[in-house]
Amino acid sequence: MRAMVYRGPYKIRVEEKDRPKIEHPNDAIVKVTRAAICGSDLHLYHGVMTDLRVGHTFGHEFIGIVDEVGSSVQNLKVGDKVMVPFNIYCGTCFFCARGLFSNCHNVNANATAVGGIYGYSHTTGGYDGGQAEYVRVPFADVGPSIIPDDIDDEDALMLTDACSTGYFGAQLADIHEGDTVVVFGAGPVGLYAAKSSWLMGAGRVIVIDHLDYRLEKARTFAHAETYNFVEYDDIVMLMKKLTDNLGADRAIDAVGAEADGNLFMHITGVKLKLQGGSPIALNWAIDSVRKGGTISVMGAYGPVPNAVKYGDALNKGLTIRGNQAPVKRQWPRLMEHIRNGYLKPSDIITHRIPLDEIAEGYHMFSSKLDDCIKTVVVPPSAA
Amino acid sequence: MASIIEERPGGPGRGAYPAEKPTPRESSESLRARIPGWGADLDPADRPSFPREQPGIETGAHWTTPEDQPETYPRERSIEHAFLTPVFGTAQPPKGVSGVIRRYSYARHSEAKFAHWALLILADRVDSIESQFTSILQLRPDNPITETGILSEVRRHGLSSRYGRNRTDVKHLWLDPILIGGPYILAGWAVLRVVRGKRRRR
């Protein structure tokens, strides 16, 4: 089968790989019909994630057709069109039994601090991902769902991670009616988080980024008030001025490890990998939110330490919440919002490319060329 | 938004912060009329991740504990786990010198140790170098033009996407070739020094 493979930092190619096999009775093999490149895939592409092996296939956002099922699979059959959450989880461990699907303890042999994720290095379990023609899906009776007939395929694709993560991020921010919410980052997760903040009754939603075309999308897609931090000497001061010098009630970090805006942090965190990513957005969130406020961290960071301003967070009495989204828990409500016309997740897709052009797709997304926000990848067998 | 801070008679720049929350710039009624779905999840009970932990949640699992996936090679694992997890990824088993480093890191250090992660990053870089040599032997050497996707600079408007658009990353773009190419130049220089040193000794 054709599959994207990692060759080293900033280098990927498409090559022939063996089709994955059933390795456990509850496995399924899914023939991928659409995959997407996620902002967090860039942490892999840039070599920021640890235990990232040459030959690894990325891709934790994908949908497809069930091609084969293991002997114990009951809830799916060959031919079903499914959406697959980026979390791999067993459904019965201490964490899954409480709904913490992203924290499953039975699927990641390599680390206990993170659950299993498709195509996201061996630090998240060593599973190849969906930027390929076929993918192994463990615990097929637990993770995947059949895509309802009235849900568009590309909307379903966005629900496998980015949209669900943004929606979950707004929930973690604990938004009350009339709250001012500041979202750092106007990438896919930031756009969905901003949009979701309104669903939860925010009174004002502010989005910060340095890419004007993404801020334009935040205004049109997410109805947000936007600011380009490049135009201000001190973005935290601006947030204070906009909020009567108190600070925003809630902040959402939708940037994570690749943050820009402070040269020292960017070089040490992103270029030299001396930190688990650049914590600029998180530090801005800490300083921009009011005392007693809440910060929701959706941006992904690596496992090594970061220079986070925890002293400010402590002195301000902040609540900082984060987690990988337990994706499937979000689906029923998000599908209601789609059916009600409140949300059209696929509206943020800007590019659709063949799998064989994925190296250029990654460079384009990484370098923010061609006003790229979200790229969908089409395998040759699904073109 | 109208400021809630009022100047007091004590002089210019004096004031006090009041107890009230700043007046919203737009009423809930106005927001509901303007933004599709505004307030649909106002009640936390409508938010699927509230409460965060929901004991007894339906998952679709029809087992009490999952069956074990066969271990077809000695699978490395975090020493923070009591045992090998019942299901695990089998993509890219450890191999070569990088594999030795990875296995040592997993066997020796917990996730709490910086050395664990530093060794894994080292193994990643060694793996990259090993794979470059292997790909040459397999007559499929790495192609920096196609594998870096650099041609999208032409096809996807590299210049016009970057310049004149207020982007902060453009300011430090000049650093990238130094940071990416620098280690290779330094390594080449070090190898050259060693080779020359050996020749002189002969």
Side-chain angles (χ1 to χ4, degrees):
Chain A
M1 68 167 186
R2 302 290 285 166
M4 164 267 158
V5 295
Y6 173 75
R7 296 292 306 167
Y10 296 90
K11 287 192 303 179
I12 58 173
R13 72 185 182 198
V14 175
E15 59 184 41
E16 288 294 324
K17 275 179 98 163
D18 290 339
R19 177 185 176 279
K21 294 181 298 209
I22 299 285
E23 298 185 55
H24 179 273
N26 210 250
D27 279 357
I29 305 300
V30 168
K31 183 178 183 181
V32 178
T33 53
R34 291 290 183 276
I37 302 175
C38 177
S40 57
D41 284 330
L42 296 181
H43 310 330
L44 302 169
Y45 181 63
H46 296 161
V48 175
M49 271 301 285
T50 49
D51 203 354
L52 175 55
R53 303 179 189 178
V54 171
H56 198 56
T57 296
F58 304 166
H60 54 270
E61 301 184 357
F62 60 92
I63 60 170
I65 310 286
V66 177
D67 197 64
E68 185 182 355
V69 292
S71 58
S72 81
V73 174
Q74 299 177 2
N75 301 337
L76 295 179
K77 61 181 187 309
V78 171
D80 284 341
K81 187 166 72 173
V82 291
M83 52 202 288
V84 183
F86 77 80
N87 326 109
I88 300 169
Y89 61 105
C90 73
T92 53
C93 70
F94 176 91
F95 303 102
C96 287
R98 288 156 179 78
L100 300 173
F101 303 152
S102 52
N103 307 107
C104 178
H105 222 46
N106 271 336
V107 292
N108 183 0
N110 297 74
T112 58
V114 60
I117 301 176
Y118 294 96
Y120 208 72
S121 83
H122 277 65
T123 295
T124 67
Y127 299 89
D128 270 337
Q131 289 166 10
E133 288 188 287
Y134 294 89
V135 61
R136 173 194 171 205
V137 173
F139 293 114
D141 281 333
V142 173
S145 280
I146 294 172
I147 301 174
D149 289 340
D150 61 344
I151 297 293
D152 176 76
D153 280 3
E154 288 189 339
D155 285 334
L157 176 62
M158 295 299 105
L159 295 187
T160 60
D161 177 6
C163 184
S164 298
T165 294
Y167 183 59
F168 176 67
Q171 291 171 70
L172 288 195
D174 193 24
I175 297 165
H176 293 73
E177 183 169 358
D179 277 351
T180 294
V181 181
V182 56
V183 180
F184 290 93
V189 170
L191 292 170
Y192 291 130
K195 181 96 173 169
S196 301
S197 297
W198 294 121
L199 297 172
M200 288 164 214
R204 189 179 187 189
V205 178
I206 299 168
V207 175
I208 310 293
D209 202 296
H210 70 108
L211 298 168
D212 284 332
Y213 74 92
R214 291 191 171 193
L215 291 172
E216 168 65 19
K217 193 71 176 176
R219 290 191 290 275
T220 55
F221 174 80
H223 311 280
E225 180 182 337
T226 64
Y227 297 93
N228 185 330
F229 67 76
V230 177
E231 294 171 8
Y232 300 90
D233 177 52
D234 184 340
I235 197 67
V236 172
M237 266 311 294
L238 176 71
M239 290 303 105
K240 291 290 172 65
K241 284 184 187 297
L242 292 172
T243 54
D244 281 332
N245 292 74
L246 297 180
D249 300 295
R250 319 288 163 197
I252 299 173
D253 169 8
V255 181
E258 306 281 339
D260 213 329
N262 175 301
L263 192 59
F264 176 76
M265 289 291 188
H266 188 75
I267 289 176
T268 56
V270 181
K271 302 298 184 191
L272 300 179
K273 284 88 175 170
L274 297 175
Q275 304 186 55
S278 158
I280 302 165
L282 182 53
N283 285 338
W284 281 348
I286 288 170
D287 287 334
S288 297
V289 80
R290 70 164 166 81
K291 293 169 191 167
T294 307
I295 295 175
S296 163
V297 183
M298 287 297 102
Y301 292 91
V304 296
N306 293 86
V308 174
K309 298 178 76 174
Y310 196 74
D312 283 358
L314 169 78
N315 291 329
K316 293 174 76 172
L318 302 185
T319 300
I320 301 179
R321 291 190 174 131
N323 200 355
Q324 300 283 352
V327 166
K328 198 170 177 179
R329 273 175 70 171
Q330 320 306 317
W331 286 351
R333 188 67 175 162
L334 279 172
M335 287 186 191
E336 275 183 55
H337 291 327
I338 291 170
R339 290 180 180 116
N340 287 330
Y342 300 159
L343 185 63
K344 181 66 178 161
S346 56
D347 275 353
I348 70 159
I349 296 171
T350 51
H351 293 77
R352 293 166 182 84
I353 59 168
L355 177 62
D356 279 301
E357 292 177 16
I358 198 167
E360 291 191 19
Y362 265 89
H363 183 82
M364 171 179 70
F365 187 41
S366 169
S367 301
K368 312 292 183 286
L369 308 183
D370 208 25
D371 291 356
C372 178
I373 295 176
K374 191 70 177 176
T375 300
V376 170
V377 178
V378 184
S381 49
Chain B
M1 184 194 289
S3 175
I4 58 165
I5 301 169
E6 292 177 8
E7 283 210 354
R8 296 202 303 181
R14 298 298 304 277
Y17 297 106
E20 296 79 27
K21 191 170 182 173
T23 315
R25 52 167 30 198
E26 197 171 350
S27 70
S28 296
E29 291 68 35
S30 168
L31 288 167
R32 187 175 279 115
R34 183 169 71 85
I35 295 170
W38 183 90
D41 294 334
L42 195 54
D43 182 352
D46 287 329
R47 302 177 185 180
S49 286
F50 176 85
R52 188 177 62 164
E53 295 191 18
Q54 297 177 12
I57 191 169
E58 175 57 39
T59 67
H62 45 82
W63 49 84
T64 309
T65 52
E67 288 181 60
D68 282 342
Q69 173 182 332
E71 185 181 359
T72 53
Y73 62 94
R75 181 61 163 81
E76 73 284 2
R77 67 173 170 86
S78 166
I79 56 173
E80 292 186 36
H81 270 306
F83 40 70
L84 179 62
T85 53
V87 167
F88 49 87
T90 54
Q92 301 89 43
K95 61 176 170 42
V97 176
S98 59
V100 172
I101 299 169
R102 292 190 210 283
R103 288 195 184 282
Y104 173 78
S105 177
Y106 279 106
R108 178 72 182 80
H109 298 294
S110 78
E111 296 161 54
K113 298 286 188 184
F114 182 79
H116 174 65
W117 304 110
L119 282 169
L120 290 176
I121 292 171
L122 172 67
D124 290 349
R125 301 298 171 260
V126 171
D127 188 10
S128 185
I129 294 164
E130 285 179 311
S131 299
Q132 285 187 37
F133 283 116
T134 311
S135 70
I136 291 167
L137 293 176
Q138 291 171 339
L139 303 178
R140 203 181 166 209
D142 282 317
N143 181 336
I145 303 294
T146 57
E147 291 179 11
T148 57
I150 197 77
L151 292 176
S152 62
E153 288 288 335
V154 178
R155 293 178 186 146
R156 303 289 184 178
H157 316 106
L159 286 176
S160 61
S161 294
R162 285 197 180 85
Y163 296 100
R165 305 193 72 178
N166 226 5
R167 291 173 52 158
T168 194
D169 55 336
V170 174
K171 293 176 193 165
H172 54 72
L173 207 57
W174 59 274
L175 269 171
D176 287 359
I178 297 170
L179 292 170
I180 295 167
Y184 292 98
I185 293 166
L186 278 176
W189 177 77
V191 169
L192 205 63
R193 288 281 304 239
V194 170
V195 171
R196 278 184 180 167
K198 281 193 174 177
R199 277 185 186 165
R200 276 195 203 116
R201 265 182 242 127
R202 280 179 199 162

